[in-house]
Structure formats: C-alpha cells, structure tokens
Amino acid sequence: MASSKHLFLFLISILFLLTLSSAEDAFVPYNFEVSYITASPLGVPQQFQPLLSDLHLNIVIAINDQFPGPTINVTTNNNVAVNVRNKLDESLLIHWSGIQQRRSSWQDGVLGTNCPIPPKWNWTYQFQVKDQIGSFFYFPSLHFQRAAGGFGGFIINNRPVISVPFDTPQGDIVVFIGDWYTRNHTDLRKDLDDGKDLGMPNGVLINGKGPYRYNDTLVPEGIDFEQLDVQPGKTYRLRVHNVGISTSLNFRIQNHNLLLAETEGSYTVQQNYTSLDIHVGQSYSFLVTMDQNASSDYYIVASARFVNESRWKRVTGVGILHYTNSKGKAKGPLPAGPDDQFDKTYSMNQARSIRWNVSASGARPNPQGSFRYGSINVTDIYVLKNKPLVKIDGKRRATLSGISYTNPATPLRLADQFKVKGVYKLDFPTKPLTGSPRIETSVINGSFRGFMEIILQNNDTKMHTYHLNGYAFFVVGMDFGDWSENSRGTYNKWDGIARSTAQVYPGAWTAVLVSLDNVGIWNLRTENLDSWYLGQETYIRVVNPEPTNKTELPIPDNALFCGALAKKQKQQIISSAASFNGNGLKLLFTLVMFVCAIINIFQ
C-alpha cells in the first residue's frame, strides 16, 4: 500500500511540475535505486585468496548498481525530481550537499527537515536548482552510510544566455577522492558507539577504485584503478570532490598544472596550482590542459595530509591519466606533495589565495562581485568552538560550543509546521559555554534577512571542515590562534570566496559571513563524519515573521511523518489509497505511460 501511495504521489508531482515548468525552467527526472553491492576496491591479498575469497569485501552502497552513483546534470533553474527507492535494510535520506534548496528546506535530506525513508519504501525529492551553478555532490546522510558509498556528482550548468569565464572544455570529468576503510559502515558505527577511534583508514579511493600498482610492495596485484582517457592538446574540466570520512587529501596530476576555475558554485580568480589540499566535503573545478609529450602515462594522486608520511604510505590514492597517443605506462615514484606535517602555514596560505572572481557572472547575468558583502552591517555574531571528544553521561561525544547535538524523533521543521512543543530549544549560545558540556537539541535562532558572522574556532588537534546547508557563505578570514575582536582587521571584505564548506585548521579559526535570506531550518555541521555522527552539529532556524509562499513553499504532498506525528503517516496512506478509486485509476494509468515515455527519453 505504501509503495503504491508513493508512486501515485510521485506521478502527481511530475504532472504538477510539468504544468508549472516553462521551456526555460525544464523538468528533469531521475530514478535512484539505492542498494547494497559487494566490492573489493582495495583488493584481496594474494596469499589469502584461496582460503578467504571474500576478505576485504565491503558492503558498498550503490545507486542503480553504480559505485559511485550516477551524476545529476542539470541547468540553472531546472526543476529536479529524484525518485529514491530504498533497498537497504535501514532507513535512508539523501542530502544534496551545496544545493541551496531555495524556499524549500523540506527537500534537504537531513534529520532536521525530513523523516527517514524506511526500507522498501520510495520517496521523491522535488526541488528547483534556483539561481545556482557549479560542482556539488549528493550522499546518504544517516547511519554513517557515506562511509559505504551512496555518493554521486551534481552538476548545475549555466543557462546559455550567461557567459562562462573560460572556453568550453573538451570534456567534463567528475572525480571522487576519499579515505576508505575495509570495515563496513555498520562496524565503523559500532566502534564509535563503543567509544573507540576509527584508526587509520586502509586506503584512498579515486572514483571508487583502489590505487594503481606504482609500488609492488605497497600495492597488491589485481586492484582495479581509475584511468582517465584524454586527447593531447585538449583542455578538460575536472570536478574533484573529497567524499571521505575525515582525511584531508592533496590532489595533483604528475607534470600537469591545475588551473582553479570554480568551487562549490562560485567562479574563482583563475590561478595555477601544482597541487591543492582538498578537505572533507569540499569540491573544486580545475581546467587541465593536456600539454605534455605523452612519453608515458601520468600519475593522478590523492595523498593524506598532516599525517606521518611513513606510516600512511599505503593510504594513497593513485589513478592514471592516459593520453590517446601515450607511449607507455606510468613508472617511477609518485610526484611529491607538500611536506609540512607539523607546519600547516603553507596549506593555510594556499587556502587564502583562493579568491572570488568578482567580474564573472554566476547564475545571473550580473557580476559575482555585485553583492557587496563587505559593506553590510552584521546583525548576529556566533563564536562556535569545537574541542577534542569528551565523555558526557559515560558516552564519548563531540561538541560544538559545549553542546553535543542529539536528533529528536520528530524533525525540527515538521515540529514547527504542526506546532509540536518540546522538540528542540531555540537557545544555542552565541559564545562557547563555560560549564560542563551537555547533550541537547539546541538550535540557533537566525534573523530573517539578517547578516550573520560565524567564527569557527578549532581547538581540536585535527583538521575540520564545516558545512552550512541552504546557503553559500563568504570566507572572509582564517588564522592560527584564538579569534578576537581585533581579528576583524584582517578580513577580506572584497573578494572572499563564496562557498558552502570551509576548512578550519587545528589551533586556528575561520570566519564566514552569511546573508540569511533563505527561509527554513538549515544544518550547520562538521563534515568529518565521525565527529558529525557523535554530535558536532546544530541547525540555524530562519523564519519569515510574515509567512508567504514567496519565501517558503508549502509542505510537500508526499511528506513523510514520524516521531510525534507518526499517526499522520497512516492517515495519509489511507487517504491516498482511497483516491485510487474510479477515475483515479485512469489518471494513474495515463500518468504512468507519460512518465515512462519521459524516462525512456532521458535514459
């Protein structure tokens, strides 16, 4: 009954979106079947193959039997519908990292806004990629599932009427890099629940594949590696995403420059890098020109940063860049990355060098720099501090300003919609608590159309990256030590990059500014999956005091209900089933035929 109900609502939603869509705001449907597959991306040691053929086999989360999942490729202002069929044995939500969900936090795919999709159910996300361009990715946001895969690319292209600040590349290549454990995500989750550290990862994957055998001692035989085939003399756009758990990675291609052009929806000042540090959750677009002589293939490398290099040699992702006229295989040592394990100044200076291209148009025809963020008065200031893990009530927890967040049974946005009391507190402190840390559902009270300054202070010993849903924020400053009022004198108030994920170095701070013009409840979290799982997050609640559909869309017809509102789900199923009588069946049949035809066109 539930599946029929959701199919019906999915079809109705498609008809509704098609009715609203003009030629300019096209409708783009996708079907995602999320399931487990078995894989061995880091290989099976040869000596154990006859005895333990499944050794190092991971339970990997695939989408449409693909790992990584398919890339969503759309254009600014397209209407997107993604029908997600959950074939896992646990609940699921898909989060669209960096997609701002303008006026529609209902589609955000995190526990603050959505009830989980139960096993064997399907649910349809419906949203418009409003006024955005750039390189993003999606991933499962619950139960530590991202450690098992389930991620894929999300590209938003410029409309044809908007110029792009570089020539059209020969090809568009999505690259996923990330640390990987041979233990399954359920085992990793249990380790965290039991108060254990995850330890050193077993390797780094590039597009879901293990390392090329550049070293016979470090890399066993039989590993499937990633190879990018390119034509000499051509320029390609590489969209590189760090989708790992907690390891910062340095990305480089042997003998090739990386011309940085875009990050998370903003065109950058174009600068060449021989390598770039990409932290967990971050995305970058590089223009890479194939200008070498192809005497051999070239290494693509993603290596761990700020770690003991001798201990972490095995934790290196290696792929191959293959020219069509290549004369041989890559050989010799890997190209060296930065060597500053104990001094992160080089990396921070590199991060500071990434600037907004204020003369380029983004999703709209006006220049990116037309929004004069540096001249806007700040209305709210929040200093958010993280520290090493602490014990609260006998459990190891991660904190933000002394609070370890716990998800309530009823999503925050649903609680607001139906006036369910006591689900959360709107009392997140503007400064770190001085008393004992505590576990709470504490939320930041944002001011609609306010301008918020957020200082992220990292008093932990490891790198963190922080992500804010629903917005791009301006990264205006970062430095080592403790932030103070005097630190504002160092802010970049002209061309600080606008993005959704910013790194915060150990013993350092990062300051961001954000214009709170998007109504909803929006997740603010560390992207380090272990610390996120243990509570290092909160939400920013942004409410228009005069509710209107112009600032927030109504609750979707196919909304799932749980927690204190679980009874509404049963009522909705009964109501939907009744609507199948009489002419409803004829309508359903017509819609099925229509949608199948559309899906066939897009396949």
Side-chain angles (χ1 to χ4, degrees):
M1 184 74 72
S3 294
S4 298
K5 170 251 180 181
H6 286 287
L7 174 61
F8 179 76
L9 290 174
F10 172 53
L11 297 171
I12 288 293
S13 301
I14 285 175
L15 184 62
F16 176 72
L17 281 172
L18 284 170
T19 302
L20 291 182
S21 299
S22 65
E24 187 177 358
D25 298 339
F27 167 77
V28 187
Y30 284 87
N31 275 302
F32 279 10
E33 184 176 276
V34 185
S35 63
Y36 296 121
I37 61 172
T38 55
S40 183
L42 291 178
V44 178
Q46 186 67 35
Q47 64 268 32
F48 295 120
Q49 282 182 356
L51 300 175
L52 297 171
S53 60
D54 63 343
L55 189 68
H56 285 187
L57 281 176
N58 280 87
I59 302 300
V60 172
I61 296 177
I63 296 179
N64 301 343
D65 291 325
Q66 299 177 44
F67 170 64
T71 296
I72 291 178
N73 198 325
V74 295
T75 298
T76 302
N77 295 341
N78 280 175
N79 296 288
V80 183
V82 186
N83 185 39
V84 176
R85 173 72 171 168
N86 181 11
K87 297 188 74 174
L88 307 182
D89 58 0
E90 56 188 7
S91 57
L92 170 73
L93 282 174
I94 300 291
H95 172 60
W96 320 95
S97 187
I99 306 302
Q100 292 178 12
Q101 305 292 358
R102 304 294 297 179
R103 301 191 301 138
S104 189
S105 64
W106 300 107
Q107 310 295 328
D108 204 27
V110 289
L111 278 177
T113 54
N114 297 91
C115 292
I117 307 168
K120 299 181 181 179
W121 282 48
N122 67 286
W123 196 76
T124 304
Y125 291 89
Q126 308 157 49
F127 52 88
Q128 186 180 30
V129 286
K130 182 69 174 169
D131 293 334
Q132 276 192 275
I133 54 93
S135 307
F136 311 97
F137 65 96
Y138 59 83
F139 66 89
S141 64
L142 303 185
H143 310 310
F144 218 71
Q145 289 165 350
R146 192 175 80 199
F151 46 77
F154 201 125
I155 296 172
I156 307 179
N157 302 289
N158 284 73
R159 291 177 292 152
V161 296
I162 308 297
S163 61
V164 175
F166 46 82
D167 293 335
T168 302
Q170 173 70 18
D172 206 318
I173 302 171
V174 178
V175 179
F176 298 104
I177 58 176
D179 54 4
W180 188 259
Y181 290 82
T182 55
R183 308 198 301 282
N184 291 324
H185 76 284
T186 50
D187 297 324
L188 296 173
R189 196 168 69 201
K190 186 177 185 303
D191 284 347
L192 293 175
D193 290 337
D194 291 343
K196 300 176 184 176
D197 289 326
L198 296 183
M200 188 170 70
N202 299 96
V204 169
L205 304 189
I206 298 180
N207 282 348
K209 299 176 182 178
Y212 172 79
R213 199 177 192 206
Y214 71 98
N215 182 302
D216 293 350
T217 302
L218 296 175
V219 184
E221 291 183 46
I223 290 181
D224 187 20
F225 60 87
E226 179 68 349
Q227 176 173 302
L228 303 183
D229 295 326
V230 296
Q231 297 179 28
K234 303 295 185 181
T235 297
Y236 293 77
R237 182 174 183 172
L238 271 63
R239 302 175 189 259
V240 186
H241 311 271
N242 185 336
V243 294
I245 295 173
S246 63
T247 305
S248 296
L249 298 172
N250 179 266
F251 182 79
R252 55 196 183 274
I253 301 177
Q254 185 180 27
N255 291 2
H256 289 73
N257 283 321
L258 306 173
L259 181 62
L260 181 63
E262 176 260 336
T263 178
E264 297 164 17
S266 289
Y267 290 121
T268 66
V269 172
Q270 293 179 21
Q271 301 179 80
N272 274 312
Y273 296 87
T274 54
S275 71
L276 189 72
D277 288 347
I278 304 179
H279 307 281
V280 178
Q282 290 187 327
S283 302
Y284 289 95
S285 275
F286 302 106
L287 300 174
V288 183
T289 300
M290 307 306 156
D291 55 4
Q292 298 302 299
N293 61 17
S295 58
S296 68
D297 293 340
Y298 298 92
Y299 293 124
I300 302 169
V301 183
S303 59
R305 293 288 278 125
F306 318 124
V307 296
N308 184 307
E309 187 176 340
S310 60
R311 284 190 62 230
W312 283 64
K313 276 186 178 179
R314 293 181 183 274
V315 188
T316 301
V318 183
I320 291 296
L321 184 74
H322 173 74
Y323 282 36
T324 54
N325 65 340
S326 174
K327 298 179 180 63
K329 295 182 178 180
K331 56 187 177 182
L334 299 180
D339 181 19
D340 59 349
Q341 176 190 346
F342 301 108
D343 181 5
K344 301 171 183 63
T345 304
Y346 171 86
S347 183
M348 182 180 284
N349 286 337
Q350 187 184 67
R352 287 169 170 159
S353 73
I354 299 170
R355 299 299 180 96
W356 210 27
N357 185 343
V358 295
S359 63
S361 293
R364 296 182 177 182
N366 50 299
Q368 290 185 151
S370 61
F371 185 79
R372 311 287 186 186
Y373 71 87
S375 61
I376 300 173
N377 292 326
V378 170
T379 57
D380 301 282
I381 303 169
Y382 279 82
V383 179
L384 307 182
K385 181 182 289 188
N386 73 288
K387 294 182 177 180
L389 299 180
V390 297
K391 275 200 170 182
I392 307 177
D393 299 332
K395 290 285 187 180
R396 252 181 131 206
R397 299 287 297 182
T399 59
L400 196 59
S401 289
I403 295 176
S404 186
Y405 185 88
T406 183
N407 281 293
T410 308
L412 313 179
R413 186 64 196 87
L414 272 181
D416 270 5
Q417 177 72 20
F418 293 95
K419 297 180 172 53
V420 181
K421 303 296 183 184
V423 171
Y424 66 91
K425 296 179 181 178
L426 205 59
D427 64 351
F428 197 91
T430 58
K431 295 181 179 179
L433 297 176
T434 55
S436 300
R438 56 179 186 256
I439 299 175
E440 284 190 352
T441 308
S442 181
V443 174
I444 292 173
N445 187 14
S447 304
F448 178 54
R449 291 182 178 154
F451 198 60
M452 183 177 286
E453 179 183 15
I454 302 173
I455 294 93
L456 302 161
Q457 179 77 51
N458 183 3
N459 284 27
D460 200 350
T461 56
K462 63 181 182 179
M463 175 75 72
H464 279 269
T465 47
Y466 284 89
H467 179 91
L468 176 60
N469 294 2
Y471 295 97
F473 48 58
F474 296 95
V475 183
V476 294
M478 60 178 66
D479 205 349
F480 293 104
D482 289 333
W483 179 89
S484 70
E485 300 283 340
N486 293 333
S487 301
R488 291 195 181 98
T490 67
Y491 283 6
N492 176 357
K493 294 189 175 183
W494 167 239
D495 61 355
I497 192 68
R499 63 187 312 171
S500 59
T501 313
Q503 69 268 47
V504 192
Y505 292 85
W509 56 267
T510 295
V512 302
L513 298 174
V514 58
S515 177
L516 300 180
D517 61 349
N518 193 14
V519 169
I521 293 183
W522 306 106
N523 190 228
L524 174 61
R525 63 177 180 273
T526 177
E527 279 289 340
N528 298 47
L529 203 56
D530 47 356
S531 295
W532 182 14
Y533 179 80
L534 293 174
Q536 199 170 106
E537 64 174 322
T538 185
Y539 284 81
I540 300 178
R541 180 178 180 265
V542 182
V543 175
N544 184 350
E546 300 176 359
T548 168
N549 287 353
K550 290 183 178 180
T551 56
E552 186 178 30
L553 295 173
I555 182 172
D557 292 337
N558 65 340
L560 295 174
F561 295 97
C562 53
L565 299 166
K567 287 183 179 179
K568 281 188 167 292
Q569 191 66 50
K570 297 176 183 177
Q571 295 167 358
Q572 193 182 57
I573 291 172
I574 294 170
S575 173
S576 297
S579 70
F580 273 69
N581 294 328
N583 292 331
L585 287 174
K586 294 180 182 179
L587 174 61
L588 176 62
F589 179 78
T590 302
L591 286 170
V592 168
M593 295 299 100
F594 186 62
V595 171
C596 286
I598 291 176
I599 291 173
N600 286 334
I601 290 172
F602 280 88
Q603 284 180 339

